[in-house]
Amino acid sequence: MEEFSYARVGDAPAALKEVHGDSRARYLAGGTTLIDLMKLNVETPRRVVDINHLPLTKIEVTDGGVRIGALVRNSDMAYHKTIRTRYPVLSEALLSGATAQIRNMATLGGNLLQRTRCSYFRDLAWGCNKRQPGSGCAAIDGYNRSHAVLGTSDKCIATHPSDMCVALAALDAVIATQTTDGGGRRIPIGEFYVPYGDDPAKENTLQPGELITAVELPNTAFFAKSHYLKVRDRASFEFALVSAAVALDIQGGTIRAARLALGGVATKPWRATDAEKALVGAKAEETAFAQAAQAALQSAKPQKFNAFKIELAKRCIVRALSTVTAMA
């Protein structure tokens, strides 16, 4: 077992002070990812800073939308009345993930930083550029059925695991943070995750020690007409083979605005902007949905065992869009 120190803090300044200058310090919230990876020696923090007592557990309705504290538990978020009515896609995504017990522990901030479930990443016996840069990617020539077809590189094909983040990508979420220099940032979720490129170990734009404090959702009326569809091998405690988060603004049978994000197929929560452009101005019917699905997957690069995901994702998109159209 790797030795580490533990500290419990009660406010953000104390948390930032504890991790300042230590690249191997980690924040502990629900622990549903961090503790797993520590047991596997994939994560070996030198210092663990418990932030569960920080005042970041509220869901606040504002003039601009909703602000969700980083320590809000997934279950509380999923069942919150405002989330269920204004952003049903988020509630559905949360309830499709993991199990009730894990949702009771997992937090918003932790979910944003959830790491891949790639079996090669989680097993020290295999080369993994995400875990150890320069060691290779065993998944490329290995069993890659669960791996990504969008956003991949010759260094990594690991799939982003989160359901919640796919919904947040479709909802134009903004991530609020505090930095160790006393400042703060507001980061659109589309700018939060970074392409794998030559350094798959770098997954987001957070600075060392930067603390996520909240996520802000805009007050966009048509987000109330939204849906999350997840296709998986079993009905519970299973990660997505493919998933789609969609929202549509339909007036007189014509799509005025659209949001579409994909999960289970990409290296990050994948906003399908080409598909959204194809939908705007089109009639809300299956022909347009199929064309949008084609646009969403046009850049997909399958591996030996996961080519089926491309067609499955297209069908998932069409079904999700059809479901939202029936709502409208």
Side-chain angles (χ1 to χ4, degrees), residues 1-320:
M1 178 178 176
E2 294 281 340
E3 291 187 359
F4 62 90
S5 63
Y6 170 87
R8 177 184 291 178
V9 294
D11 56 44
L16 294 165
K17 182 179 179 180
E18 287 285 347
V19 303
H20 184 65
D22 189 349
S23 63
R24 288 183 59 191
R26 295 289 184 271
Y27 293 122
L28 173 68
T32 56
T33 291
L34 178 62
I35 301 303
D36 275 354
L37 295 180
M38 288 174 66
K39 290 177 180 178
L40 296 170
N41 284 324
V42 173
E43 286 276 3
T44 55
R46 182 163 47 203
R47 187 161 184 76
V48 173
V49 180
D50 187 338
I51 60 172
N52 282 290
H53 292 270
L54 271 61
L56 303 174
T57 58
K58 293 182 179 179
I59 298 177
E60 302 171 287
V61 180
T62 68
D63 292 339
V66 173
R67 181 180 175 89
I68 308 169
L71 291 176
V72 171
R73 307 290 164 168
N74 285 6
S75 292
D76 293 334
M77 197 184 338
Y79 290 113
H80 192 276
K81 182 178 179 180
T82 299
I83 302 300
R84 295 182 71 178
T85 55
R86 292 192 189 180
Y87 314 99
V89 64
L90 178 55
S91 176
E92 292 167 2
L94 288 162
L95 291 175
S96 75
T99 65
Q101 293 91 337
I102 291 175
R103 292 193 295 268
N104 287 342
M105 286 297 297
T107 63
L108 169 62
N111 203 322
L112 286 166
L113 301 177
Q114 188 178 176
R115 307 202 69 189
T116 183
R117 303 297 294 192
C118 172
S119 57
Y120 299 104
F121 167 76
R122 296 169 64 86
D123 188 340
L124 301 184
W126 297 96
C128 173
N129 289 319
K130 181 179 287 293
R131 187 185 66 247
Q132 185 180 353
S135 63
C137 177
I140 290 177
D141 294 321
Y143 186 61
N144 43 43
R145 178 177 181 268
S146 65
H147 287 71
V149 297
L150 292 168
T152 58
S153 74
D154 61 356
K155 301 290 192 300
C156 186
I157 58 172
T159 308
H160 194 277
S162 175
D163 294 296
M164 181 198 80
C165 294
V166 180
L168 293 180
L171 294 173
D172 300 322
V174 174
I175 299 163
T177 71
Q178 289 188 25
T179 54
T180 55
D181 62 4
R185 295 199 292 164
R186 296 178 70 257
I187 311 168
I189 194 167
E191 300 172 12
F192 183 75
Y193 297 103
V194 297
Y196 281 177
D198 292 329
D199 185 12
K202 182 174 176 56
E203 297 174 344
N204 56 64
T205 59
L206 288 179
Q207 302 168 6
E210 190 168 3
L211 176 68
I212 296 172
T213 56
V215 165
E216 301 166 358
L217 300 178
N219 187 19
T220 304
F222 77 89
F223 286 172
K225 303 297 184 183
S226 60
H227 177 55
Y228 186 74
L229 177 61
K230 180 176 180 177
V231 181
R232 46 191 164 173
D233 285 325
R234 59 186 181 190
S236 181
F237 201 30
E238 185 64 275
F239 292 88
L241 289 172
V242 304
S243 66
V246 302
L248 293 176
D249 182 4
I250 301 173
Q251 299 292 331
T254 299
I255 300 170
R256 295 179 54 186
R259 298 291 186 276
L260 172 60
L262 302 177
V265 293
T267 56
K268 62 180 182 177
W270 194 262
R271 181 74 174 267
T273 53
D274 288 340
E276 292 175 358
K277 292 175 183 177
L279 288 167
V280 174
K283 289 293 183 182
E285 55 191 22
E286 190 166 321
T287 300
F289 301 160
Q291 292 173 347
Q294 182 66 31
L297 276 298
Q298 61 185 343
S299 62
K301 296 180 180 179
Q303 303 296 323
K304 181 177 181 180
F305 296 104
N306 69 358
F308 74 95
K309 283 193 174 189
I310 297 175
E311 179 61 27
L312 187 61
K314 292 177 183 178
R315 297 187 184 200
C316 182
I317 291 169
V318 171
R319 181 176 166 188

